């Protein structure tokens, strides 16, 4: 069996997501099919490329060495295909390829960009891994990336990327079942969640490490569940767990969103692009800032937090 680009792309997806299930979902294949493909690749090379652990997949030393060579090859092939398609279509219009981690500002941001750049080819690639998106920008696969950096867990920003700070410190709130005793207070004490299970997505860069540090500093050692956003929302609503969440999150009939006392959890919001493109993407940054202000003002709990802290965000001042 000879290694093909699709095999390298599969290996990169497994490494980026840390999970066969999430990698299969990203690649649009079934998990059994991806598992079989990985086994064939490993048999062909005569080496194990990933350690399968309860928390997910982790590259072995051989796997890391292979990924180091595979990533630029995959990036070059992707860029080649994109450029070939553009040439075949005779596309002379403008293009903006956006990468982003999850954010409620995205719909408003895209809407503003489409109004500002009518006729432009605007595409969006979502990923739970901020580091994966930054690598895509560095490889020329994305023009900009809107990412969050968990406090205390710096991102691995490729050398030369231009980084603009949208929000220096965005507090992370907590989502909990509407009937949770702590939901009756406008601000939640960490100690009031001492008996709860927490759920986090381990594939989100820095999220589990950041939460673990905060809980340890508060003297808490709760049970922790790992799951994606949709799983977390279902378990929180059922009262089975609590979870950190973005302050722009909307409450539901069965779920409350509250700030934590002292704001121990926080992220930094960044817009990253290739070197020397800050002026080119100034309007992109301005539209993102406007979209973020809009969702921030619409989220009741976050708006109250901003008012209490006399934040300039609601007036449109710089972050």
């Amino acid at each position: 069996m000879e290694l093909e680009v699709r095999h390298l792309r599969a290996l990169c997806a497994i490494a980026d997501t840390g999970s066969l299930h999430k990698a299969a979902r990203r690649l649009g294949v079934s998990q059994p099919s991806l598992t079989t493909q990985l086994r064939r690749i490993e048999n062909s090379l005569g080496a194990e490329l990933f350690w399968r652990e309860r928390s997910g997949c982790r590259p072995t030393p051989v796997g890391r060495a292979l990924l180091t060579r595979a990533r630029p090859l995959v990036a070059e092939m992707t860029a080649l295909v994109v450029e070939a398609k553009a040439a075949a279509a005779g596309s002379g219009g403008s293009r903006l390829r956006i990468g982003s981690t999850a954010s409620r500002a995205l719909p408003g941001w895209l809407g503003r960009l489409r109004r500002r750049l009518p006729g432009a080819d605007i595409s969006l690639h979502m990923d739970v891994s901020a580091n994966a998106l930054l690598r895509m920008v560095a490889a020329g696969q994305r023009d900009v990336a809107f990412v969050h950096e968990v406090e205390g867990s710096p991102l691995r920003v490729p050398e030369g990327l231009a980084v603009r700070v949208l929000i220096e410190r965005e507090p992370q709130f907590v989502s909990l079942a509407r009937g949770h005793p702590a939901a009756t207070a406008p601000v939640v004490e960490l100690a009031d969640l001492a008996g709860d299970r927490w759920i986090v997505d381990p594939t989100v860069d820095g999220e589990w490490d950041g939460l673990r540090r905060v809980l340890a500093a508060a003297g808490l050692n709760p049970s922790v569940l790992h799951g994606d956003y949709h799983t977390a929302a279902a378990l929180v609503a059922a009262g089975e767990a609590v979870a950190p969440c973005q302050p722009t999150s909307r409450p539901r009939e069965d779920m409350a969103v509250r700030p934590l006392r002292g704001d121990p959890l926080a992220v930094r919001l960044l817009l990253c692009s290739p070197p020397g493109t800050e002026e080119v993407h100034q309007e992109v940054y301005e539209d993102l800032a406007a979209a973020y202000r809009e969702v921030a003002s619409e989220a009741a709990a976050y708006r109250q937090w901003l008012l209490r802290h006399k934040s300039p965000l609601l007036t449109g001042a710089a972050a």
Side-chain angles (χ1 to χ4, degrees):
M1 170 182 162
E2 292 186 0
L3 282 184
E4 302 174 11
V5 174
R6 62 188 178 91
H7 299 140
L8 301 181
R9 186 174 288 111
L11 296 177
C12 291
I14 296 169
D16 289 343
T17 63
S19 159
L20 282 166
H21 173 69
K22 288 184 170 59
R25 190 166 58 185
R26 175 190 288 189
L27 296 168
V29 300
S30 69
Q31 182 174 335
S33 172
L34 181 59
T35 301
T36 300
Q37 186 180 63
L38 174 59
R39 190 178 300 116
R40 287 175 178 168
I41 295 172
E42 290 179 326
N43 289 339
S44 173
L45 296 175
E48 191 175 26
L49 301 179
F50 291 91
W51 284 305
R52 280 74 151 179
E53 302 170 341
R54 292 183 63 185
S55 58
C57 294
R58 188 162 53 91
T60 64
V62 175
R64 287 197 297 271
L66 179 61
L67 287 164
T68 299
R69 301 290 297 274
R71 290 191 190 283
L73 292 174
V74 171
E76 284 297 320
M77 180 56 69
T78 301
L80 175 63
V81 171
V82 170
E83 291 170 7
K85 286 182 176 179
S91 175
S94 59
R95 180 182 66 176
L96 180 61
R97 299 166 301 168
I98 297 171
S100 181
T101 49
S103 172
R104 292 191 178 275
L106 282 176
W109 185 26
L110 291 175
R112 284 173 170 80
L113 288 172
R114 294 193 192 284
R115 290 191 293 274
R116 184 188 292 274
L117 305 170
D121 178 14
I122 300 175
S123 62
L124 173 66
H125 176 86
M126 298 288 298
D127 202 305
V128 296
S129 171
N131 283 313
L133 291 169
L134 295 180
R135 289 194 296 268
M136 292 180 72
V137 174
Q141 296 173 274
R142 296 287 104 187
D143 300 308
V144 294
F146 176 40
V147 299
H148 67 271
E149 179 181 65
V150 176
E151 195 168 67
S153 300
L155 294 174
R156 298 186 294 275
V157 181
E159 185 176 356
L161 286 195
V163 178
R164 297 193 64 172
V165 179
L166 179 72
I167 301 294
E168 183 61 46
R169 192 175 194 272
E170 179 194 70
Q172 297 300 279
F173 287 5
V174 63
S175 58
L176 58 168
R178 181 65 67 177
H180 193 294
T184 59
V187 178
V188 172
E189 306 281 351
L190 266 178
D192 292 338
L193 306 176
D196 289 282
R197 288 181 292 271
W198 287 76
I199 182 166
V200 295
D201 186 342
T203 63
V204 177
D205 297 324
E207 181 172 286
W208 168 224
D209 289 337
L211 178 61
R212 181 169 48 188
R213 282 192 297 270
V214 167
L215 293 175
L220 303 180
N221 186 28
S223 298
V224 176
L225 307 175
H226 289 164
D228 58 22
Y229 169 77
H230 295 293
T231 303
L235 290 176
V236 168
E240 292 294 327
V242 298
C245 67
Q246 297 177 11
T248 52
S249 299
R250 300 283 184 84
R252 305 183 339 193
E253 289 185 359
D254 55 0
M255 187 187 304
V257 174
R258 298 286 185 269
L260 290 166
R261 179 76 65 190
D263 307 313
L265 287 169
V267 301
R268 191 165 63 136
L269 302 183
L270 310 171
L271 184 67
C272 303
S273 57
T277 60
E278 298 94 322
E279 291 186 11
V280 175
H281 295 310
Q282 174 63 27
E283 293 178 340
V284 174
Y285 176 85
E286 291 173 356
D287 283 342
L288 174 59
Y292 183 86
R293 283 195 298 272
E294 183 175 57
V295 295
S297 64
E298 291 174 350
Y302 192 23
R303 181 178 178 84
Q304 290 303 314
W305 185 95
L306 293 168
L307 291 172
R308 284 199 305 274
H309 290 77
K310 299 181 172 56
S311 170
L313 183 64
L314 293 180
T315 62

